[in-house]
Amino acid sequence: IKLLLSNDNGRRILIDVKHMSIDARKAYYKYLSENHPNNDVPVLCSHGALTDLYPHQINMEKKLDILQIYKTKGLFGIELDQRVLGYNEANKIWQKLKNLFRSKRKKEQHQLFFLWQNIIQTAEFAYQNGYTENPWSCICIGSDYDGIINPLNEFRDAKSLSKLYVILTEFLEEYWENKNSIIPKESGIERNAQDIVYEIMYKNAYNFITKHYG
């Protein structure tokens, strides 16, 4: 870890916490706090989701992991896998039967609801913990399309990203129509829903890559 994160022989090789156990992640964060107290090493989770929706240690915990990601200006890639997103946890037999009679559009919205919940819960947590200027800045899509095990049925490959963009934009616009929304539309830098979803789907990851990989 010391050699990988060193700048003495070229650029750092950033360490992905995606497949670390909880104990390994705790040890890694402790190492960073002791050896990189200026938070110059970004914490990266390339493709995962929140334990709130799928309570397995392969996923990220808000207080343990998400805070570290935002504190270090890292990146949280949200995976488009049914199990990891929590879709299978919540989608019981009666829901599956009900889904048979939904229109294609309703099926798409139903499946992306779980992706949306991972996005909005991450952003709300960041906002409530002081990252009010841009609570969306560390979120991106970590699709895992190069090796995904159980993709969302209506979003099986990269060809579906354009309709994914449209539906996520609709979710965010509906979120702001709710007077009880935690993140106000006017928070931080004023942008519309299309801009923010574009950042989540493309720009945040692009900016991170250009900054750290050149």
Side-chain angles (χ1 to χ4, degrees):
I1 289 174
K2 179 180 179 181
L3 291 173
L4 289 170
L5 297 182
S6 172
N7 282 320
D8 294 338
N9 190 28
R11 288 195 185 97
R12 288 191 173 107
I13 296 176
L14 299 179
I15 296 170
D16 189 356
V17 302
K18 155 68 181 186
H19 287 292
M20 288 186 184
S21 67
I22 291 176
D23 288 341
R25 298 202 304 271
K26 287 179 178 177
Y28 179 54
Y29 301 151
K30 184 174 185 292
Y31 174 86
L32 291 181
S33 68
E34 293 173 350
N35 295 276
H36 297 273
N38 57 351
N39 296 322
D40 64 321
V41 176
V43 172
L44 168 66
C45 173
S46 61
H47 57 298
L50 296 173
T51 54
D52 301 60
L53 296 152
Y54 179 57
H56 190 287
Q57 69 171 328
I58 199 170
N59 275 351
M60 300 291 104
E61 295 184 357
K62 289 175 182 173
K63 290 182 179 179
L64 173 64
D65 304 291
I66 300 303
L67 276 182
Q68 288 289 334
I69 289 171
Y70 274 82
K71 184 172 73 173
T72 61
K73 296 181 180 179
L75 199 62
F76 178 34
I78 301 179
E79 187 177 359
L80 302 181
D81 185 286
Q82 292 187 30
R83 177 177 61 96
V84 174
L85 287 174
Y87 179 84
N88 289 344
E89 290 286 304
N91 209 26
K92 305 302 180 185
I93 295 176
W94 67 273
Q95 280 278 14
K96 291 181 180 179
L97 290 172
K98 188 177 179 181
N99 206 37
L100 292 175
F101 301 98
R102 289 188 173 108
S103 67
K104 182 175 177 62
R105 180 67 167 176
K106 289 294 184 182
K107 288 179 182 179
E108 292 171 351
Q109 292 174 331
H110 177 67
Q111 290 178 15
L112 282 193
F113 175 78
F114 297 87
L115 170 63
W116 166 247
Q117 283 301 307
N118 277 275
I119 291 172
I120 195 60
Q121 289 188 33
T122 300
E124 287 180 341
F125 179 77
Y127 185 86
Q128 291 171 319
N129 281 273
Y131 298 94
T132 55
E133 179 68 19
N134 187 3
W136 321 94
S137 62
C138 295
I139 306 170
C140 73
I141 299 297
S143 65
D144 200 27
Y145 278 150
D146 60 338
I148 195 167
I149 296 172
N150 192 10
L152 297 168
N153 292 335
E154 304 297 327
F155 302 88
R156 302 189 67 84
D157 53 43
K159 290 185 292 185
S160 63
L161 289 178
S162 57
K163 63 180 178 181
L164 188 152
Y165 170 84
V166 171
I167 296 173
L168 286 183
T169 300
E170 292 172 353
F171 279 144
L172 182 52
E173 289 172 341
E174 290 172 7
Y175 172 80
W176 277 332
E177 289 173 2
N178 186 339
K179 294 181 180 179
N180 297 320
S181 59
I182 292 174
I183 305 173
K185 187 174 182 178
E186 296 77 18
S187 67
I189 304 169
E190 188 172 345
R191 291 154 300 173
N192 58 33
Q194 290 92 339
D195 291 338
I196 289 173
V197 174
Y198 178 78
E199 290 172 13
I200 290 170
M201 289 190 64
Y202 305 104
K203 192 174 180 181
N204 290 342
Y206 178 82
N207 289 344
F208 184 91
I209 290 168
T210 54
K211 178 180 179 180
H212 296 287
Y213 298 99

